[in-house]
Amino acid sequence: MRKVKIQRKTRETEICMDLEVDGSGQAEINTGIGFLDHMLTAFAVHSGCDLSVSCRGDLDVDCHHTVEDVGIVLGQALAKALGDKSGIRRYGSFYIPMDEALGFCALDISGRPFLVFDSPFENARVGTFDTCMTEEFFRAAAMHSGITLHLKILYGRNDHHKIEALFKAFAHSLREAVSLSKTGEVLSSKGML
């Protein structure tokens, strides 16, 4: 069973996360940032992962440490849950239309972390969430999971819709990539990832 619990405590945040890759999309999220909770819930529902996140962060400063650190822990949880990556399909890609916005994600669970992020935002914030933190969240998740991650908004005007399209596209791409292949082998000519 691909299920893990990660706890991380720093002077800036204290996070407890439970992740079950082969779940049913259940979410119990409390980060102190309403919009981030909404995005993580959408991620769980659309990826099929069960996700529980509890975070206490220094929100009196701003949302930066909380958002980035939750991304770090999500990346660590994915890496630990997938282990040596044997038996997974490895690649995933997906387009998500969100009203006027269209988001795209392509990823490779390769062990080689990288982020390409192409999404302009119109506003500084959605609620108490700084839109610039979208890229930081995904960078942290990619670096700590060992995923090569490409995210792009092809067009759109509403920042809420654009960010949600990216989270959902990531979720569906991940769902595809972590699904089990028929061979059970590591999908690499090297024999390992």
Side-chain angles (χ1 to χ4, degrees):
M1 183 174 280
R2 299 182 291 178
K3 182 176 182 179
V4 297
K5 181 183 192 86
I6 303 281
Q7 293 182 318
R8 182 178 192 266
K9 184 174 181 177
T10 71
R11 291 183 187 146
E12 298 166 341
T13 61
E14 185 173 348
I15 300 169
C16 181
M17 181 180 293
D18 291 283
L19 173 72
E20 184 173 350
V21 173
D22 305 302
S24 58
Q26 299 298 308
E28 187 177 330
I29 315 292
N30 184 5
T31 66
I33 304 167
F35 185 72
L36 180 59
D37 292 356
H38 178 43
M39 293 302 98
L40 292 171
T41 299
F43 166 79
V45 168
H46 287 267
S47 68
C49 295
D50 288 346
L51 182 65
S52 172
V53 181
S54 173
C55 177
R56 284 192 343 222
D58 57 356
L59 295 177
D60 55 312
V61 175
D62 64 11
C63 73
H64 187 112
H65 300 137
T66 295
V67 175
E68 183 176 40
D69 288 5
V70 169
I72 288 170
V73 175
L74 179 61
Q76 291 172 339
L78 285 167
K80 188 173 180 183
L82 296 174
D84 70 358
K85 304 171 199 71
S86 60
I88 64 169
R89 295 175 56 98
R90 181 177 164 181
Y91 296 97
S93 62
F94 215 84
Y95 285 93
I96 289 286
M98 188 75 193
D99 295 347
E100 87 299 341
L102 182 63
F104 174 72
C105 175
L107 62 82
D108 174 11
I109 304 175
S110 62
R112 296 184 309 276
F114 201 85
L115 176 68
V116 175
F117 187 88
D118 184 5
S119 179
F121 297 115
E122 307 298 320
N123 300 289
R125 286 183 197 83
V126 175
T128 58
F129 178 89
D130 294 342
T131 55
C132 66
M133 289 309 300
T134 309
E135 182 173 1
E136 298 308 317
F137 173 87
F138 284 114
R139 183 182 330 284
M143 294 303 131
H144 289 269
S145 63
I147 291 176
T148 299
L149 179 61
H150 293 244
L151 291 161
K152 181 176 180 64
I153 288 294
L154 286 83
Y155 46 80
R157 292 184 306 278
N158 183 298
D159 288 339
H160 182 132
H161 294 161
K162 289 191 274 188
I163 296 168
E164 189 163 348
L166 293 176
F167 270 85
K168 288 178 177 177
F170 173 62
H172 280 274
S173 298
L174 186 69
R175 184 177 202 155
E176 185 177 316
V178 302
S179 65
L180 298 174
S181 67
K182 292 179 181 175
T183 68
E185 301 292 322
V186 172
L187 186 58
S188 171
S189 58
K190 295 187 285 284
M192 64 178 291
L193 292 170

